[in-house]
Amino acid sequence: MRLGSRSSNEYIQLLNKKNEYIQQQFLEQILSLTKLKNVQVMLGDATITEQKTFDPALVNDFYQTIIKQLKNWSVQEISISNNEDVRRIFTKFEIREGNYLISGHMSLQYHVLLYYKPDQQVIKLQKELSDIIDLTKNKEKQMSDNSDQFVLNKLKEKGYKDFDHQKLFEIFYENDEFREKIYKEIENEIEVDFQELSNKKTKIIKDLDNLLVETYQTSPVLIDDTRLITGEEGCLCTFDIEFIKNKTKEGLFDPRKMSESVKDSIIKRLDEFSKLLQI
């Protein structure tokens, strides 16, 4: 049973009120932890601009402070999921009271935006990358324009003189070793090493990646599991209570059959968690 679900039972209604108060406390903390600050970043066209961001490490520290004080609870370590530009930082925890299991979940979902650091090295590397791309494109065109005749000439030099063009190219494509040798000779003819250019391009892209900076944005609003799964920005703090019968968890149960001691213990656990949010 997810706390917050509608119920006519007075005890569940009491738990719902406590859960609602916890959610509001949690939201206030997230509002504070995700306050935006301005940072300078560089766009792909080398324009320097300001971007707003927050620090997810503060949320991580907040979670750590909470779970360290959850005495006797079974706690899942803080995790960060990464799905392209959407990230989620979350933790889960649970405790058993009699035949009932209380499960809690805190989560914040946010988007990641990538920019470059405002560094002149970015402009330098972009220029080098552009030059390599242009050179590669020009040399590939030159190679394409000259390769057919070059291949035919080389084949004839090897003694393949009395064949038509189609037959000559069949011979060329059936002999891997010969074909690689011819391509290498063509590269030497046009004075370019495509492998070297490719390696330089890969290195520059890696260097540019190292100059990327992440910024983060979220919406400090409470969302539910469905909106969390679909990738919406926001935070979530939920509690579920399940009845354990023959080692099987059941979400539907009759709260009227709960003992008073278990009811009191569940209320106590929620109150304790609420106090932890008042840090």
Side-chain angles (χ1 to χ4, degrees):
M1 177 184 292
R2 171 64 53 85
L3 293 190
S5 302
R6 295 183 63 179
S7 173
S8 59
N9 182 269
E10 290 186 6
Y11 177 68
I12 298 301
Q13 289 178 356
L14 173 61
L15 295 184
N16 284 345
K17 287 182 180 179
K18 291 184 176 294
N19 176 70
E20 183 179 354
Y21 182 58
I22 286 173
Q23 287 187 325
Q24 290 304 314
Q25 288 178 292
F26 178 75
L27 179 59
E28 288 175 10
Q29 290 288 349
I30 295 298
L31 278 166
S32 175
L33 295 168
T34 58
K35 283 184 178 177
L36 298 175
K37 63 178 181 180
N38 290 328
V39 293
Q40 281 199 331
V41 295
M42 182 183 287
L43 303 179
D45 62 359
T47 303
I48 304 294
T49 185
E50 282 195 342
Q51 176 67 21
K52 294 184 181 297
T53 187
F54 71 93
D55 186 358
L58 296 177
V59 179
N60 185 89
D61 293 344
F62 167 63
Y63 287 176
Q64 289 284 5
T65 300
I66 297 295
I67 63 178
K68 282 180 180 178
Q69 299 181 73
L70 287 174
K71 305 302 181 183
N72 303 318
W73 291 69
S74 175
V75 177
Q76 176 182 308
E77 287 300 314
I78 298 168
S79 300
I80 299 179
S81 67
N82 189 351
N83 181 19
E84 296 182 355
D85 65 333
V86 178
R87 288 191 194 161
R88 182 190 308 165
I89 179 170
F90 63 95
T91 182
K92 296 181 179 182
F93 36 90
E94 62 182 30
I95 192 168
R96 183 166 174 168
E97 294 293 349
N99 290 328
Y100 295 85
L101 185 71
I102 312 169
S103 304
H105 175 196
M106 293 188 296
S107 189
L108 173 69
Q109 191 151 268
Y110 53 97
H111 278 88
V112 180
L113 300 175
L114 289 175
Y115 297 92
Y116 286 115
K117 296 177 183 178
D119 190 321
Q120 287 300 311
Q121 183 69 5
V122 174
I123 301 173
K124 177 176 177 293
L125 290 172
Q126 285 182 328
K127 176 67 167 58
E128 290 180 16
L129 182 60
S130 177
D131 289 344
I132 287 176
I133 292 173
D134 288 344
L135 177 61
T136 302
K137 191 180 297 182
N138 291 335
K139 291 299 183 181
E140 283 178 344
K141 185 177 185 305
Q142 184 180 343
M143 185 174 179
S144 176
D145 292 342
N146 299 332
S147 61
D148 285 359
Q149 190 57 49
F150 190 92
V151 169
L152 288 171
N153 292 340
K154 287 295 179 182
L155 285 167
K156 289 177 180 178
E157 286 177 13
K158 299 293 181 181
Y160 300 104
K161 297 179 179 179
D162 300 323
F163 296 91
D164 59 29
H165 285 198
Q166 181 63 32
K167 186 61 178 177
L168 286 173
F169 278 103
E170 285 178 9
I171 295 169
F172 177 69
Y173 284 107
E174 286 171 358
N175 190 328
D176 293 342
E177 184 178 347
F178 182 60
R179 185 173 63 253
E180 290 301 320
K181 181 181 178 182
I182 294 296
Y183 276 139
K184 192 65 182 177
E185 290 183 15
I186 294 174
E187 286 184 11
N188 293 335
E189 191 79 12
I190 61 176
E191 298 179 339
V192 65
D193 186 335
F194 285 107
Q195 185 59 50
E196 182 183 357
L197 288 176
S198 178
N199 292 338
K200 285 183 179 178
K201 180 179 175 182
T202 300
K203 183 180 183 305
I204 291 174
I205 291 173
K206 184 177 180 181
D207 290 341
L208 281 170
D209 285 345
N210 290 334
L211 289 168
L212 287 171
V213 60
E214 294 181 341
T215 64
Y216 312 99
Q217 66 178 33
T218 190
S219 301
V221 295
L222 289 169
I223 59 177
D224 56 21
D225 286 330
T226 301
R227 294 167 67 187
L228 193 73
I229 292 170
T230 56
E232 288 191 38
E233 296 176 359
C235 60
L236 178 149
C237 182
T238 60
F239 282 92
D240 292 281
I241 299 177
E242 297 169 292
F243 177 59
I244 301 175
K245 182 179 180 181
N246 299 325
K247 297 183 180 180
T248 302
K249 300 175 185 177
E250 297 182 0
L252 295 177
F253 57 85
D254 188 349
R256 294 172 298 181
K257 295 181 179 180
M258 299 172 74
S259 68
E260 291 302 316
S261 61
V262 167
K263 287 182 177 181
D264 291 342
S265 294
I266 293 175
I267 288 174
K268 181 181 177 182
R269 293 297 183 186
L270 293 177
D271 287 342
E272 288 174 350
F273 189 84
S274 180
K275 288 180 180 179
L276 294 181
L277 293 174
Q278 296 173 10
I279 58 176

